mmCIF file with all atom_site columns, all heavy atoms in Angstrom:
data_model
loop_
_atom_site.group_PDB
_atom_site.id
_atom_site.type_symbol
_atom_site.label_atom_id
_atom_site.label_alt_id
_atom_site.label_comp_id
_atom_site.label_asym_id
_atom_site.label_entity_id
_atom_site.label_seq_id
_atom_site.pdbx_PDB_ins_code
_atom_site.Cartn_x
_atom_site.Cartn_y
_atom_site.Cartn_z
_atom_site.occupancy
_atom_site.B_iso_or_equiv
_atom_site.pdbx_formal_charge
_atom_site.auth_seq_id
_atom_site.auth_comp_id
_atom_site.auth_asym_id
_atom_site.auth_atom_id
_atom_site.pdbx_PDB_model_num
ATOM 1   N N   . ALA A 1 267 ? 106.070 85.931 77.072 1.00 0.00 ? 288 ALA A N   1
ATOM 2   C CA  . ALA A 1 267 ? 107.504 85.747 77.257 1.00 0.00 ? 288 ALA A CA  1
ATOM 3   C C   . ALA A 1 267 ? 108.280 86.193 76.023 1.00 0.00 ? 288 ALA A C   1
ATOM 4   O O   . ALA A 1 267 ? 107.723 86.350 74.940 1.00 0.00 ? 288 ALA A O   1
ATOM 5   C CB  . ALA A 1 267 ? 107.816 84.285 77.563 1.00 0.00 ? 288 ALA A CB  1
ATOM 6   N N   . PHE A 1 268 ? 109.568 86.405 76.208 1.00 0.00 ? 289 PHE A N   1
ATOM 7   C CA  . PHE A 1 268 ? 110.501 86.661 75.113 1.00 0.00 ? 289 PHE A CA  1
ATOM 8   C C   . PHE A 1 268 ? 111.802 85.946 75.446 1.00 0.00 ? 289 PHE A C   1
ATOM 9   O O   . PHE A 1 268 ? 112.059 85.600 76.604 1.00 0.00 ? 289 PHE A O   1
ATOM 10  C CB  . PHE A 1 268 ? 110.747 88.161 74.934 1.00 0.00 ? 289 PHE A CB  1
ATOM 11  C CG  . PHE A 1 268 ? 111.517 88.792 76.072 1.00 0.00 ? 289 PHE A CG  1
ATOM 12  C CD1 . PHE A 1 268 ? 112.889 88.934 76.014 1.00 0.00 ? 289 PHE A CD1 1
ATOM 13  C CD2 . PHE A 1 268 ? 110.856 89.236 77.212 1.00 0.00 ? 289 PHE A CD2 1
ATOM 14  C CE1 . PHE A 1 268 ? 113.604 89.503 77.054 1.00 0.00 ? 289 PHE A CE1 1
ATOM 15  C CE2 . PHE A 1 268 ? 111.557 89.813 78.273 1.00 0.00 ? 289 PHE A CE2 1
ATOM 16  C CZ  . PHE A 1 268 ? 112.940 89.948 78.184 1.00 0.00 ? 289 PHE A CZ  1
ATOM 17  N N   . ARG A 1 269 ? 112.617 85.698 74.423 1.00 0.00 ? 290 ARG A N   1
ATOM 18  C CA  . ARG A 1 269 ? 113.910 85.061 74.661 1.00 0.00 ? 290 ARG A CA  1
ATOM 19  C C   . ARG A 1 269 ? 114.992 86.127 74.751 1.00 0.00 ? 290 ARG A C   1
ATOM 20  O O   . ARG A 1 269 ? 115.202 86.901 73.823 1.00 0.00 ? 290 ARG A O   1
ATOM 21  C CB  . ARG A 1 269 ? 114.237 84.056 73.558 1.00 0.00 ? 290 ARG A CB  1
ATOM 22  C CG  . ARG A 1 269 ? 115.411 83.145 73.937 1.00 0.00 ? 290 ARG A CG  1
ATOM 23  C CD  . ARG A 1 269 ? 115.580 81.999 72.976 1.00 0.00 ? 290 ARG A CD  1
ATOM 24  N NE  . ARG A 1 269 ? 114.444 81.094 72.959 1.00 0.00 ? 290 ARG A NE  1
ATOM 25  C CZ  . ARG A 1 269 ? 114.199 80.141 73.863 1.00 0.00 ? 290 ARG A CZ  1
ATOM 26  N NH1 . ARG A 1 269 ? 115.021 80.008 74.908 1.00 0.00 ? 290 ARG A NH1 1
ATOM 27  N NH2 . ARG A 1 269 ? 113.151 79.359 73.748 1.00 0.00 ? 290 ARG A NH2 1
ATOM 28  N N   . ASP A 1 270 ? 115.672 86.159 75.874 1.00 0.00 ? 291 ASP A N   1
ATOM 29  C CA  . ASP A 1 270 ? 116.721 87.144 76.102 1.00 0.00 ? 291 ASP A CA  1
ATOM 30  C C   . ASP A 1 270 ? 117.956 86.749 75.296 1.00 0.00 ? 291 ASP A C   1
ATOM 31  O O   . ASP A 1 270 ? 118.528 85.675 75.526 1.00 0.00 ? 291 ASP A O   1
ATOM 32  C CB  . ASP A 1 270 ? 117.051 87.202 77.594 1.00 0.00 ? 291 ASP A CB  1
ATOM 33  C CG  . ASP A 1 270 ? 118.014 88.325 77.953 1.00 0.00 ? 291 ASP A CG  1
ATOM 34  O OD1 . ASP A 1 270 ? 118.705 88.819 77.036 1.00 0.00 ? 291 ASP A OD1 1
ATOM 35  O OD2 . ASP A 1 270 ? 118.090 88.698 79.136 1.00 0.00 ? 291 ASP A OD2 1
ATOM 36  N N   . PRO A 1 271 ? 118.401 87.572 74.340 1.00 0.00 ? 292 PRO A N   1
ATOM 37  C CA  . PRO A 1 271 ? 119.556 87.196 73.523 1.00 0.00 ? 292 PRO A CA  1
ATOM 38  C C   . PRO A 1 271 ? 120.851 87.088 74.321 1.00 0.00 ? 292 PRO A C   1
ATOM 39  O O   . PRO A 1 271 ? 121.791 86.423 73.887 1.00 0.00 ? 292 PRO A O   1
ATOM 40  C CB  . PRO A 1 271 ? 119.632 88.320 72.479 1.00 0.00 ? 292 PRO A CB  1
ATOM 41  C CG  . PRO A 1 271 ? 118.961 89.491 73.111 1.00 0.00 ? 292 PRO A CG  1
ATOM 42  C CD  . PRO A 1 271 ? 117.866 88.899 73.969 1.00 0.00 ? 292 PRO A CD  1
ATOM 43  N N   . ALA A 1 272 ? 120.910 87.738 75.491 1.00 0.00 ? 293 ALA A N   1
ATOM 44  C CA  . ALA A 1 272 ? 122.139 87.702 76.291 1.00 0.00 ? 293 ALA A CA  1
ATOM 45  C C   . ALA A 1 272 ? 122.295 86.389 77.044 1.00 0.00 ? 293 ALA A C   1
ATOM 46  O O   . ALA A 1 272 ? 123.419 85.981 77.358 1.00 0.00 ? 293 ALA A O   1
ATOM 47  C CB  . ALA A 1 272 ? 122.160 88.867 77.264 1.00 0.00 ? 293 ALA A CB  1
ATOM 48  N N   . THR A 1 273 ? 121.175 85.723 77.343 1.00 0.00 ? 294 THR A N   1
ATOM 49  C CA  . THR A 1 273 ? 121.233 84.501 78.157 1.00 0.00 ? 294 THR A CA  1
ATOM 50  C C   . THR A 1 273 ? 120.578 83.291 77.490 1.00 0.00 ? 294 THR A C   1
ATOM 51  O O   . THR A 1 273 ? 120.740 82.170 77.966 1.00 0.00 ? 294 THR A O   1
ATOM 52  C CB  . THR A 1 273 ? 120.542 84.722 79.511 1.00 0.00 ? 294 THR A CB  1
ATOM 53  O OG1 . THR A 1 273 ? 119.144 84.978 79.275 1.00 0.00 ? 294 THR A OG1 1
ATOM 54  C CG2 . THR A 1 273 ? 121.155 85.898 80.259 1.00 0.00 ? 294 THR A CG2 1
ATOM 55  N N   . CYS A 1 274 ? 119.796 83.538 76.441 1.00 0.00 ? 295 CYS A N   1
ATOM 56  C CA  . CYS A 1 274 ? 118.988 82.514 75.761 1.00 0.00 ? 295 CYS A CA  1
ATOM 57  C C   . CYS A 1 274 ? 117.837 82.017 76.625 1.00 0.00 ? 295 CYS A C   1
ATOM 58  O O   . CYS A 1 274 ? 117.146 81.059 76.265 1.00 0.00 ? 295 CYS A O   1
ATOM 59  C CB  . CYS A 1 274 ? 119.838 81.317 75.297 1.00 0.00 ? 295 CYS A CB  1
ATOM 60  S SG  . CYS A 1 274 ? 121.086 81.768 74.074 1.00 0.00 ? 295 CYS A SG  1
ATOM 61  N N   . ALA A 1 275 ? 117.621 82.633 77.778 1.00 0.00 ? 296 ALA A N   1
ATOM 62  C CA  . ALA A 1 275 ? 116.537 82.224 78.668 1.00 0.00 ? 296 ALA A CA  1
ATOM 63  C C   . ALA A 1 275 ? 115.235 82.885 78.247 1.00 0.00 ? 296 ALA A C   1
ATOM 64  O O   . ALA A 1 275 ? 115.225 84.010 77.737 1.00 0.00 ? 296 ALA A O   1
ATOM 65  C CB  . ALA A 1 275 ? 116.869 82.603 80.105 1.00 0.00 ? 296 ALA A CB  1
ATOM 66  N N   . LEU A 1 276 ? 114.124 82.189 78.481 1.00 0.00 ? 297 LEU A N   1
ATOM 67  C CA  . LEU A 1 276 ? 112.818 82.811 78.325 1.00 0.00 ? 297 LEU A CA  1
ATOM 68  C C   . LEU A 1 276 ? 112.553 83.694 79.540 1.00 0.00 ? 297 LEU A C   1
ATOM 69  O O   . LEU A 1 276 ? 112.735 83.266 80.681 1.00 0.00 ? 297 LEU A O   1
ATOM 70  C CB  . LEU A 1 276 ? 111.728 81.743 78.203 1.00 0.00 ? 297 LEU A CB  1
ATOM 71  C CG  . LEU A 1 276 ? 111.651 81.014 76.870 1.00 0.00 ? 297 LEU A CG  1
ATOM 72  C CD1 . LEU A 1 276 ? 110.630 79.880 76.949 1.00 0.00 ? 297 LEU A CD1 1
ATOM 73  C CD2 . LEU A 1 276 ? 111.286 81.969 75.739 1.00 0.00 ? 297 LEU A CD2 1
ATOM 74  N N   . GLU A 1 277 ? 112.152 84.923 79.285 1.00 0.00 ? 298 GLU A N   1
ATOM 75  C CA  . GLU A 1 277 ? 111.884 85.884 80.342 1.00 0.00 ? 298 GLU A CA  1
ATOM 76  C C   . GLU A 1 277 ? 110.465 86.416 80.193 1.00 0.00 ? 298 GLU A C   1
ATOM 77  O O   . GLU A 1 277 ? 109.936 86.488 79.080 1.00 0.00 ? 298 GLU A O   1
ATOM 78  C CB  . GLU A 1 277 ? 112.876 87.049 80.271 1.00 0.00 ? 298 GLU A CB  1
ATOM 79  C CG  . GLU A 1 277 ? 114.327 86.671 80.471 1.00 0.00 ? 298 GLU A CG  1
ATOM 80  C CD  . GLU A 1 277 ? 114.659 86.350 81.916 1.00 0.00 ? 298 GLU A CD  1
ATOM 81  O OE1 . GLU A 1 277 ? 113.764 86.507 82.786 1.00 0.00 ? 298 GLU A OE1 1
ATOM 82  O OE2 . GLU A 1 277 ? 115.802 85.946 82.185 1.00 0.00 ? 298 GLU A OE2 1
ATOM 83  N N   . PRO A 1 278 ? 109.837 86.816 81.306 1.00 0.00 ? 299 PRO A N   1
ATOM 84  C CA  . PRO A 1 278 ? 108.484 87.382 81.203 1.00 0.00 ? 299 PRO A CA  1
ATOM 85  C C   . PRO A 1 278 ? 108.526 88.768 80.591 1.00 0.00 ? 299 PRO A C   1
ATOM 86  O O   . PRO A 1 278 ? 109.525 89.492 80.714 1.00 0.00 ? 299 PRO A O   1
ATOM 87  C CB  . PRO A 1 278 ? 108.017 87.440 82.667 1.00 0.00 ? 299 PRO A CB  1
ATOM 88  C CG  . PRO A 1 278 ? 109.287 87.579 83.453 1.00 0.00 ? 299 PRO A CG  1
ATOM 89  C CD  . PRO A 1 278 ? 110.318 86.769 82.705 1.00 0.00 ? 299 PRO A CD  1
ATOM 90  N N   . ILE A 1 279 ? 107.457 89.163 79.926 1.00 0.00 ? 300 ILE A N   1
ATOM 91  C CA  . ILE A 1 279 ? 107.357 90.521 79.400 1.00 0.00 ? 300 ILE A CA  1
ATOM 92  C C   . ILE A 1 279 ? 107.581 91.540 80.513 1.00 0.00 ? 300 ILE A C   1
ATOM 93  O O   . ILE A 1 279 ? 108.097 92.639 80.286 1.00 0.00 ? 300 ILE A O   1
ATOM 94  C CB  . ILE A 1 279 ? 105.983 90.738 78.732 1.00 0.00 ? 300 ILE A CB  1
ATOM 95  C CG1 . ILE A 1 279 ? 105.820 89.787 77.536 1.00 0.00 ? 300 ILE A CG1 1
ATOM 96  C CG2 . ILE A 1 279 ? 105.798 92.176 78.302 1.00 0.00 ? 300 ILE A CG2 1
ATOM 97  C CD1 . ILE A 1 279 ? 106.833 89.985 76.428 1.00 0.00 ? 300 ILE A CD1 1
ATOM 98  N N   . TYR A 1 280 ? 107.224 91.162 81.721 1.00 0.00 ? 301 TYR A N   1
ATOM 99  C CA  . TYR A 1 280 ? 107.447 92.024 82.889 1.00 0.00 ? 301 TYR A CA  1
ATOM 100 C C   . TYR A 1 280 ? 108.918 92.409 83.041 1.00 0.00 ? 301 TYR A C   1
ATOM 101 O O   . TYR A 1 280 ? 109.252 93.368 83.735 1.00 0.00 ? 301 TYR A O   1
ATOM 102 C CB  . TYR A 1 280 ? 106.959 91.282 84.135 1.00 0.00 ? 301 TYR A CB  1
ATOM 103 C CG  . TYR A 1 280 ? 107.008 92.059 85.411 1.00 0.00 ? 301 TYR A CG  1
ATOM 104 C CD1 . TYR A 1 280 ? 106.023 92.993 85.706 1.00 0.00 ? 301 TYR A CD1 1
ATOM 105 C CD2 . TYR A 1 280 ? 108.019 91.853 86.346 1.00 0.00 ? 301 TYR A CD2 1
ATOM 106 C CE1 . TYR A 1 280 ? 106.050 93.699 86.898 1.00 0.00 ? 301 TYR A CE1 1
ATOM 107 C CE2 . TYR A 1 280 ? 108.055 92.555 87.537 1.00 0.00 ? 301 TYR A CE2 1
ATOM 108 C CZ  . TYR A 1 280 ? 107.063 93.483 87.804 1.00 0.00 ? 301 TYR A CZ  1
ATOM 109 O OH  . TYR A 1 280 ? 107.101 94.194 88.975 1.00 0.00 ? 301 TYR A OH  1
ATOM 110 N N   . GLY A 1 281 ? 109.808 91.682 82.347 1.00 0.00 ? 302 GLY A N   1
ATOM 111 C CA  . GLY A 1 281 ? 111.228 91.978 82.415 1.00 0.00 ? 302 GLY A CA  1
ATOM 112 C C   . GLY A 1 281 ? 111.603 93.369 81.933 1.00 0.00 ? 302 GLY A C   1
ATOM 113 O O   . GLY A 1 281 ? 112.734 93.812 82.157 1.00 0.00 ? 302 GLY A O   1
#
Side-chain angles (χ1 to χ4, degrees):
F289 69 94
R290 193 170 297 281
D291 187 341
T294 64
C295 297
L297 285 174
E298 298 286 355
I300 298 298
Y301 185 79

